[in-house]
Amino acid sequence: MPLSDRGLLLLGLVLGSFCTLLGSVAPGNNSKDALNVLLIIVDDLRLSLGCYGDKLIRSPNIDQLASHSLLFQNAFAQQAVCAPSRVSFLTGRRPDTTRLYDFNSYWRVQAGNFSTIPQYFKENGYVTMSVGKVFHPGISSNHSDDFPYSWSVLPYHPSSEKYENTKTCKGPDGELHANLICPVDMADIPEGTLPDKQSTKKAIQLLEKMKTSSSPFFLAVGYHKPHIPFRYPKEFQKLYPLENITLAPDPQVPPGLPPVAYNPWMDIRQREDVEALNLSVPYGSIPVDFQRKIRQSYFASVSYMDTQVGHLLSALDDLQLANSTIVAFTSDHGWALGEHGEWAKYSNFDVTTHVPLMFYVPGRTAPLPEAGEKLFPYIDPFDSISELMEPGRQVQDLVELVSLFPTLAGLAGLHVPPRCPSPSFHVELCREGHSLLNHFQFHDLEEDLTLRGNPRESIAYSQYPRPADYPQWNSDKPSLKDIKFMGYSIRTIDYRYTVWVSFNPHEFLANFSDVHAGELYFVDSDPLQDHNMYNETQGGDLPQLLTP
């Protein structure tokens, strides 16, 4: 069957732009003065941060990092689910290249023996270390977090991780439950601690050891919160009184949303407190008072996680490593808090693909700290006198998480891996993302702190698989063998354009001539992406997605 005009347009954009992504190359750096790297990865963190303009959120420590960083306002993940996103940005390859859309395969077996960011640093003389959730644990990282390829020492996982989904949440009945909303008294929970607290403690111990090392280090720290369940110290609820919590601005399923694009948030429905609400599947809405409680607990989880980032960065200061360590901060994807009637990731909407991304580079994004000066003093989010800090320099161009690999390599003075040929399954070391090094070329420090390139030439791609045209029990997280449709999404400064096409999971092939549904949202007039204009373009010219 011949490709339709719409299919031709999308196919050309996808194949052309996916494969012609260039970046600059930095000279190799074998000096003992090589910069260290601290990579902080947060799980399910949307742009609910003060430095991204959210006035409700108390995130003073991340905001402080942003004030010394280059902050990217429009960074996007390539798939809004944990394992595929992490494998994608840690290898610098897109999900169609890693061939990971679920949690059930290891890319080195399924797709190719692709190098990872920490592996590349390790091969260039760095001691590489992993703490917490960096790779997704399980088959997708060979049950070893890709050790020994990526890491110099065995990755660390907190012992209290095993309690995250068990019955440790005290309900109104006084009994313990496996709930979605789970504020806890630290004295009552197993081991008297939480995974992110343990990860911070371990990361600080590793920093202390590396302070006297003659080798540079690459330390990746993965924080669990605000991933569900919302299990956090209960005092953080006080930061967000329920009477101050508003609902999502668009809490209903948009009337023009194709059923294939909707995710039924089945993992939320299976939590005991949500299950007790007896919601209809797939479109039953959560009662308003419970919606506020979910949003309250998400925000409280963010502030709790912020304190852990604060303690980690404060230790970097105390150990006098802030002047020799690059700090990169990002999330694997976002999370919907009622937008479009959804309570999860698992979609191509901005709310789930738009992620925080910032880089602190000593002497480049901020002056080197003087003797005794602290760049990252710990800030207590309960301190009412703490002021919102403005982020440092900002970039408006659309960028992608697959750019993390070449950018970190270049910032550290290593050779930036070459761009990947097409196909690249046989190439161990290459990258499919742009290097972002050009954004770090600061000239006049008095100029506007918002850096603008050619935003209409920037573009970001995301994708999401579905097992059926209509939402069903496994629509959120289909196994590879069950995938029948793939939603390919293109985000420009003006549009988000998505087509849902048939997909062959055995050959990993999308059929762009078989379009089952489409979405087209105008960003300026419809920033929440509630009004699908796709069908209004049928029989007429599509908007110009790329300028010459």
Side-chain angles (χ1 to χ4, degrees):
M1 177 178 178
L3 284 173
S4 64
D5 290 342
R6 190 184 304 275
L8 279 169
L9 173 60
L10 183 64
L11 181 61
L13 291 173
V14 171
L15 295 181
S17 296
F18 271 36
C19 300
T20 56
L21 302 170
L22 302 176
S24 49
V25 176
N29 183 359
N30 296 315
S31 167
K32 64 180 181 180
D33 297 323
L35 289 173
N36 307 306
V37 176
L38 172 60
L39 171 60
I40 302 172
I41 302 169
V42 184
D43 207 345
D44 287 18
L45 178 63
R46 54 192 262 154
L47 298 190
S48 292
L49 295 169
C51 55
Y52 279 92
D54 193 320
K55 293 183 171 59
L56 176 67
I57 301 300
R58 300 297 294 270
S59 54
N61 294 288
I62 298 171
D63 297 345
Q64 181 171 242
L65 172 63
S67 73
H68 299 302
S69 298
L70 180 61
L71 182 144
F72 289 84
Q73 287 282 357
N74 290 295
F76 290 87
Q78 277 48 78
Q79 187 177 329
V81 69
C82 302
S85 177
R86 289 164 187 264
V87 168
S88 174
F89 68 71
L90 287 168
T91 62
R93 318 274 185 125
R94 302 178 186 278
D96 276 350
T97 302
T98 65
R99 292 181 167 175
L100 182 68
Y101 313 104
D102 59 9
F103 297 80
N104 305 320
S105 66
Y106 181 40
W107 79 91
R108 295 187 190 273
V109 174
Q110 183 90 326
N113 191 30
F114 306 146
S115 297
T116 68
I117 300 174
Q119 178 182 353
Y120 187 57
F121 276 80
K122 180 183 175 185
E123 291 168 350
N124 279 276
Y126 280 70
V127 176
T128 59
M129 301 163 288
S130 173
V131 171
K133 186 177 178 181
V134 177
F135 282 102
H136 193 281
I139 300 174
S140 63
S141 58
N142 201 33
H143 298 286
S144 65
D145 297 281
D146 198 45
F147 179 82
Y149 293 99
S150 290
W151 310 109
S152 304
V153 295
L154 277 172
Y156 169 83
H157 284 277
S159 59
S160 61
E161 276 183 355
K162 59 180 174 287
Y163 304 111
E164 277 293 278
N165 294 296
T166 59
K167 294 188 176 187
T168 55
C169 313
K170 186 172 289 187
D173 58 1
E175 300 296 321
L176 295 179
H177 299 274
N179 285 345
L180 171 66
I181 297 175
C182 189
V184 297
D185 188 326
M186 296 298 295
D188 294 340
I189 58 175
E191 300 187 30
T193 190
L194 292 169
D196 287 348
K197 286 179 173 287
Q198 287 185 289
S199 290
T200 300
K201 182 178 179 181
K202 180 64 175 182
I204 292 173
Q205 291 173 348
L206 292 174
L207 288 175
E208 291 170 345
K209 290 181 180 179
M210 293 309 301
K211 177 176 170 56
T212 57
S213 172
S214 59
S215 299
F217 66 80
F218 179 102
L219 173 61
V221 181
Y223 286 115
H224 284 73
K225 295 302 118 181
H227 192 287
I228 63 170
F230 301 126
R231 190 165 171 262
Y232 57 91
K234 64 182 182 181
E235 60 267 24
F236 285 88
Q237 276 190 330
K238 297 176 184 177
L239 293 172
Y240 303 98
L242 273 175
E243 59 267 26
N244 295 344
I245 303 299
T246 60
L247 302 180
D250 54 345
Q252 305 300 322
V253 179
L257 184 69
V260 70
Y262 178 79
N263 73 77
W265 34 280
M266 295 302 294
D267 49 359
I268 298 295
R269 297 174 187 275
Q270 294 165 11
R271 306 286 168 170
E272 289 185 37
D273 50 352
V274 178
E275 189 175 36
L277 300 174
N278 294 316
L279 306 174
S280 62
V281 180
Y283 294 116
S285 60
I286 293 176
V288 167
D289 59 341
F290 202 88
Q291 289 188 37
R292 287 195 173 92
K293 291 178 181 178
I294 294 176
R295 290 170 66 88
Q296 175 195 46
S297 278
Y298 182 93
F299 301 150
S301 297
V302 171
S303 290
Y304 158 58
M305 178 273 299
D306 176 80
T307 64
Q308 300 310 301
V309 173
H311 288 306
L312 177 61
L313 293 177
S314 179
L316 199 72
D317 259 338
D318 293 340
L319 295 168
Q320 299 180 339
L321 290 169
N323 61 354
S324 59
T325 303
I326 297 165
V327 181
F329 178 95
T330 193
S331 169
D332 51 1
H333 43 70
W335 210 79
L337 283 170
E339 293 86 358
H340 311 110
E342 297 181 335
W343 298 89
K345 47 252 190 179
Y346 315 133
S347 81
N348 286 317
F349 285 120
D350 276 15
V351 72
T352 66
T353 57
H354 198 176
V355 294
L357 179 65
M358 64 189 79
F359 298 85
Y360 159 72
V361 186
R364 235 167 141 179
T365 63
L368 289 173
E370 297 180 2
E373 179 189 4
K374 278 202 157 199
L375 280 183
F376 305 116
Y378 176 77
I379 304 174
D380 188 341
F382 293 92
D383 185 354
S384 60
I385 64 172
S386 64
E387 297 182 359
L388 178 65
M389 280 167 284
E390 293 295 325
R393 290 172 173 264
Q394 301 174 57
V395 175
Q396 298 294 336
D397 289 12
L398 277 73
V399 301
E400 304 176 289
L401 285 189
V402 282
S403 292
L404 194 60
F405 195 156
T407 303
L408 282 178
L411 289 174
L414 306 180
H415 286 287
V416 174
R419 75 182 187 97
C420 291
S422 181
S424 63
F425 300 107
H426 61 291
V427 181
E428 292 188 14
L429 180 63
C430 68
R431 42 83 187 191
E432 294 182 336
H434 281 291
S435 165
L436 304 179
L437 295 180
N438 60 306
H439 294 292
F440 292 83
Q441 305 305 317
F442 304 151
H443 302 293
D444 181 5
L445 293 180
E446 301 300 321
E447 69 186 17
D448 181 23
L449 292 181
T450 298
L451 299 180
R452 295 183 180 273
N454 293 312
R456 293 190 182 278
E457 294 181 2
S458 60
I459 194 167
Y461 298 94
S462 303
Q463 61 187 99
Y464 209 86
R466 294 281 189 238
D469 271 322
Y470 193 85
Q472 59 184 40
W473 67 272
N474 64 339
S475 286
D476 297 340
K477 296 182 286 187
S479 295
L480 175 63
K481 64 181 177 60
D482 298 322
I483 297 173
K484 293 183 174 63
F485 306 100
M486 189 69 72
Y488 288 94
S489 196
I490 297 174
R491 177 66 154 83
T492 74
I493 202 71
D494 297 313
Y495 309 100
R496 178 170 286 285
Y497 174 51
T498 306
V499 288
W500 295 90
V501 301
S502 60
F503 185 84
N504 184 327
H506 306 292
E507 299 180 0
F508 302 95
L509 289 177
N511 182 359
F512 287 92
S513 67
D514 187 16
V515 178
H516 282 243
E519 300 168 75
L520 176 62
Y521 306 102
F522 294 82
V523 173
D524 284 343
S525 61
D526 183 24
L528 300 178
Q529 299 169 14
D530 290 320
H531 305 288
N532 182 12
M533 306 300 291
Y534 178 87
N535 288 333
E536 297 187 22
T537 66
Q538 295 281 14
D541 292 332
L542 282 170
Q544 184 67 37
L545 296 182
L546 293 174
T547 54

